[in-house]
Amino acid sequence: QVQLEETGGGSVQAGGSLRLSCAASGNTDTEFCMAWLRQAPGKELEEVAAVDYDGATFYADSVKGRFTVSRDNYKHTLFLQMDALKAEDTAIYYCAADPTIAAWVLNQFEYRGQGILVTVSS
């Protein structure tokens, strides 16, 4: 089992920045693919960004060039630097993990955190 806890959410004006962190605990020996997902009010859960254990990154088209995903394998921590935020980035952001990168393709992750709210005002 893996537990994931997100921190760093909050409110910001459009054009601003926020940095999310996700701390993993439990069975962290597995070389997980880790990702950020989000769900906006009234919308389905969507993928935002992912990074595999070796550092390869993947992004949704809507955040390319604005968001940067990274990880610290020694500290079992995932990050999401969000710049040039837009009102449409308002959502609950979830940290997710899965043993394989196929999870990004399938949008099916074995583990997910409780989520943290990001609000961007225009």
Side-chain angles (χ1 to χ4, degrees):
Q1 290 291 325
V2 173
Q3 293 77 45
L4 303 170
E5 183 176 5
E6 305 93 342
T7 56
S11 298
V12 64
Q13 289 190 331
S17 298
L18 278 176
R19 181 177 173 88
L20 303 182
S21 299
C22 170
S25 59
N27 180 18
T28 55
D29 290 339
T30 302
E31 297 180 352
F32 287 103
C33 169
M34 298 191 74
W36 291 98
L37 315 176
R38 69 184 181 186
Q39 187 165 25
K43 295 189 177 180
E44 294 186 352
L45 187 67
E46 65 174 351
E47 296 174 313
V48 176
V51 54
D52 71 11
Y53 193 80
D54 296 322
T57 57
F58 308 86
Y59 294 95
D61 288 342
S62 59
V63 305
K64 282 181 181 177
R66 300 189 298 121
F67 291 11
T68 303
V69 63
S70 61
R71 64 190 292 166
D72 182 331
N73 290 334
Y74 293 102
K75 296 183 178 180
H76 310 299
T77 304
L78 177 71
F79 303 99
L80 185 67
Q81 177 66 40
M82 304 185 292
D83 298 318
L85 281 161
K86 305 176 181 179
E88 51 263 44
D89 294 318
T90 295
I92 297 174
Y93 284 71
Y94 298 91
C95 175
D98 194 273
T100 75
I101 192 59
W104 173 257
V105 177
L106 299 173
N107 193 6
Q108 293 179 0
F109 291 84
E110 185 170 358
Y111 302 103
R112 195 171 78 187
Q114 293 295 311
I116 194 164
L117 179 62
V118 171
T119 303
V120 184
S121 57
S122 57

Coordinates of all heavy atoms in Angstrom, one line a residue, residues 12 99 102:
V12 N -5.1 31.9 -5.9 CA -4.2 32.8 -6.6 C -4.9 33.5 -7.7 O -5.9 33.0 -8.2 CB -3.0 32.0 -7.1 CG1 -3.4 31.0 -8.2 CG2 -1.9 32.9 -7.6
P99 N 2.4 1.4 -10.6 CA 3.6 0.7 -10.9 C 4.1 0.8 -12.3 O 5.3 0.7 -12.6 CB 3.4 -0.8 -10.5 CG 2.3 -0.7 -9.5 CD 1.4 0.5 -9.9
A102 N 1.8 2.7 -18.1 CA 0.6 2.4 -18.8 C -0.6 3.1 -18.1 O -1.6 3.4 -18.7 CB 0.3 0.9 -18.9

